[in-house]
Amino acid sequence: MKLSLKNIHLPLGRFPLDLDVEMEGEVIAIFGPSGSGKTSALDLIAGLRKPQSAFIQIDGLVLADTRVGQSLPPQQRGIGYVPQDGALFPHLSVLANLTYGSRRANGSSIFSMDHVVDVLEISHLLKSGVRMISGGEKQRVALARALLSQPRLLLLDEPLASLDENLKSKGLDLLQRVRAEFSTPMVYVSHSPEEITAICDFMIVLESGRLVSRGHPRELFTTRNVPVLELK
Amino acid sequence: MENENWQIVYFTLGVSILSTLLILPGGVALAWLLARPRWMGKSLVETLVALPLVIPPVATGLILLKLLGRRGVLGSFIEKTFGVEIVFTWRAVVIAIGVMSFPLLVRTSRVAFEGVNPRLEEIARTLGAGELRIFFTVTLPLAARGIIAGTILAFARALGEFGATIMVAGNIPGKTSTIALSIYQFVQLSQDSAAFKLLGVSVLMAFGAVWISEFVLRKRSSIR
């Protein structure tokens, strides 16, 4: 997948998000300290924030180009978004959450309900209420919900951050399985070098809304000085 | 209690239910708008909605009387167009208590809409849902308990409305007499026994409505 975030200017609270970067990889990581603009970058790709200027392109498809006043609404971008807390609809059952976005699905077998539910090991949760399931289960349901909408790109915002070490390890295995089964490109936001080196093949590093480094994660973490590491 | 007094109770219940149902769609829509981020004229609308809460009810009644009277802007239009008179009829009672209870519905519903996590609406958009679908499947269900509580509060307010009603509808026995107006009249006529009976019914109904509203709101906060 080729993802271009060019000429980006999005005013945030203390500083703007200013990016001009082209990325290539199946799982691209956005790394950086808290408040560096990682989630805002995801929101921008999903079409949930209005930038002052932006050119966003995925594999040749232009999602936004403010120079010509073009911006696809979030509904038409085909982006699956899994926010940090999962953002499941609390008044709906797990099953109703899963089917919420599957309206635009066209019955492809890879993205069938049975297959997605099977890969994410949530079949036993379908009839449960969202309030009855654990944090890790919520993340799996949120990921399944996003996958069932057959996205061209998945945005994962620190999906394992709230889990303990044991569950984190299982979560990483699951994410690797999702990557292998569905071949959906991902943008993965995380604080964790371990997670990023395990599943990502390209990484950008943000600090105060600016790009400070880019390249292969293992290379960046081992041979180059990644300034945000010192903040951890 | 005499039949005549029961009729007053039924009339009051009827006009209160009708006015609450009439203000519900507009009140909920306005509350949703007011819960949205800044838009032009929002402060003005907020102030106008709150006005009936802070100005004397008789003053609101006087404004309605001037607007809805035969020579009023709205009253003359309605009479010419539909051949319907408003002031000093049951319709005036419905309008007066609707206007007076509208702010309670809007304010409570607005708080309920503001309590809905906007992230959920954003994620619904990424899942392909349009704004109307998001409103009916995410926003409204999550705000429903607050809206129900606001509706009950508005209904309770309608049950006891006095000042605006007497200005615009008068107190015509069998035609526009509500519980509040009748209590006042019975006291004026030194018929304390009848007044106290209506007072008892009024307190019971208001107590029930407010209690249910509090119960619904409590249940809502325990869910979040």
Side-chain angles (χ1 to χ4, degrees):
Chain A
M1 171 194 59
K2 275 188 184 172
L3 174 62
S4 301
L5 299 176
K6 308 282 286 177
N7 192 29
I8 303 288
H9 182 74
L10 173 72
L12 301 173
R14 285 175 298 147
F15 49 79
L17 179 67
D18 284 314
L19 288 176
D20 202 282
V21 61
E22 286 189 356
M23 298 163 270
E24 190 162 358
E26 282 315 292
V27 184
I28 294 168
I30 303 180
F31 185 72
S34 295
S36 57
K38 304 188 297 292
T39 299
S40 298
L42 294 189
D43 285 358
L44 207 61
I45 297 168
L48 302 177
R49 298 284 171 272
K50 280 189 179 166
Q52 278 186 2
S53 69
F55 176 81
I56 304 169
Q57 190 178 43
I58 301 172
D59 288 335
L61 175 72
V62 177
L63 300 183
D65 186 354
T66 51
R67 287 170 309 176
V68 293
Q70 179 194 342
S71 179
L72 281 179
Q75 290 90 341
Q76 291 171 21
R77 292 195 178 201
I79 304 278
Y81 197 163
V82 182
Q84 199 169 352
D85 61 353
L88 296 177
F89 306 125
H91 57 299
L92 300 179
S93 68
V94 167
L95 183 62
N97 265 277
L98 292 179
T99 53
Y100 194 89
S102 61
R103 181 177 278 196
R104 72 173 178 226
N106 60 17
S108 155
S109 59
I110 296 174
F111 290 98
S112 70
M113 174 72 82
D114 287 347
H115 186 58
V116 171
V117 161
D118 186 42
V119 170
L120 287 158
E121 301 168 9
I122 53 172
S123 56
H124 61 293
L125 303 174
L126 294 182
K127 287 179 183 168
S128 307
V130 163
R131 293 186 177 97
M132 308 300 288
I133 64 178
S134 70
E137 290 169 337
K138 279 180 184 161
Q139 282 296 345
R140 272 149 53 200
V141 173
L143 181 54
R145 182 178 65 178
L147 280 168
L148 282 165
S149 68
Q150 298 195 34
R152 58 171 59 91
L153 173 66
L154 264 178
L155 306 177
L156 307 180
D157 191 359
E158 306 201 40
L160 308 179
S162 60
L163 307 181
D164 62 37
E165 287 308 313
N166 185 32
L167 284 174
K168 235 175 223 179
S169 160
K170 282 184 183 169
L172 262 182
D173 291 344
L174 199 67
L175 283 174
Q176 278 165 328
R177 200 175 157 204
V178 166
R179 187 185 169 181
E181 288 281 340
F182 300 101
S183 308
T184 305
M186 302 179 196
V187 176
Y188 190 91
V189 161
S190 177
H191 279 115
S192 161
E194 295 77 27
E195 289 173 29
I196 288 175
T197 48
I199 66 162
C200 301
D201 44 27
F202 191 87
M203 174 172 98
I204 62 169
V205 181
L206 297 186
E207 197 173 302
S208 302
R210 290 180 179 277
L211 181 78
V212 292
S213 204
R214 49 179 277 182
H216 192 278
R218 205 172 295 277
E219 185 194 341
L220 286 181
F221 284 129
T222 53
T223 62
R224 289 195 209 172
N225 179 27
V226 177
V228 287
L229 278 177
E230 292 158 16
L231 299 172
K232 281 186 65 64
Chain B
M1 205 159 66
E2 295 80 10
N3 271 347
E4 192 183 308
N5 291 349
W6 278 117
Q7 274 173 4
I8 292 167
V9 173
Y10 297 145
F11 175 74
T12 308
L13 276 173
V15 288
S16 299
I17 289 168
L18 183 59
S19 84
T20 308
L21 290 176
L22 286 174
I23 64 172
L24 192 57
V28 170
L30 188 58
W32 178 82
L33 263 180
L34 291 174
R36 299 288 99 185
R38 299 196 163 280
W39 41 272
M40 200 189 286
K42 184 176 168 180
S43 305
L44 180 68
V45 175
E46 276 172 331
T47 311
L48 283 174
V49 169
L51 270 186
L53 283 179
V54 289
I55 63 173
V58 285
T60 305
L62 184 59
I63 294 168
L64 289 175
L65 187 63
K66 290 295 168 196
L67 280 174
L68 298 169
R70 279 186 160 178
R71 282 179 290 178
V73 181
L74 283 175
S76 61
F77 170 77
I78 292 169
E79 195 171 343
K80 275 178 202 158
T81 314
F82 304 106
V84 172
E85 259 186 76
I86 301 290
V87 292
F88 303 113
T89 68
W90 64 269
R91 297 179 194 92
V93 181
V94 172
I95 291 171
I97 61 181
V99 167
M100 294 305 294
S101 50
F102 190 70
L104 280 175
L105 170 66
V106 174
R107 289 169 85 87
T108 317
S109 303
R110 179 190 171 170
V111 172
F113 281 125
E114 283 172 342
V116 176
N117 180 1
R119 202 63 172 159
L120 299 175
E121 297 169 326
E122 290 176 350
I123 293 304
R125 276 182 204 111
T126 68
L127 291 166
E131 296 307 317
L132 205 61
R133 182 170 172 229
I134 292 170
F135 179 78
F136 283 110
T137 58
V138 177
T139 316
L140 193 60
L142 288 173
R145 287 178 186 277
I147 294 168
I148 292 168
T151 307
I152 298 168
L153 274 180
F155 171 71
R157 177 73 183 84
L159 284 176
E161 215 300 304
F162 178 85
T165 312
I166 201 161
M167 287 297 286
V168 78
N171 183 15
I172 306 166
K175 205 174 166 195
T176 65
S177 275
T178 62
I179 293 176
L181 299 179
S182 301
I183 289 174
Y184 176 74
Q185 190 183 26
F186 284 139
V187 171
Q188 291 290 304
L189 298 172
S190 298
Q191 294 177 4
D192 287 5
S193 164
F196 277 112
K197 282 175 189 165
L198 280 181
L199 172 70
V201 174
S202 171
V203 168
L204 274 178
M205 290 196 301
F207 180 86
V210 174
W211 189 81
I212 291 169
S213 161
E214 288 294 320
F215 175 76
V216 170
L217 277 174
R218 239 191 347 264
K219 209 169 174 188
R220 171 175 158 243
S221 57
S222 73
I223 280 171
R224 285 180 181 199

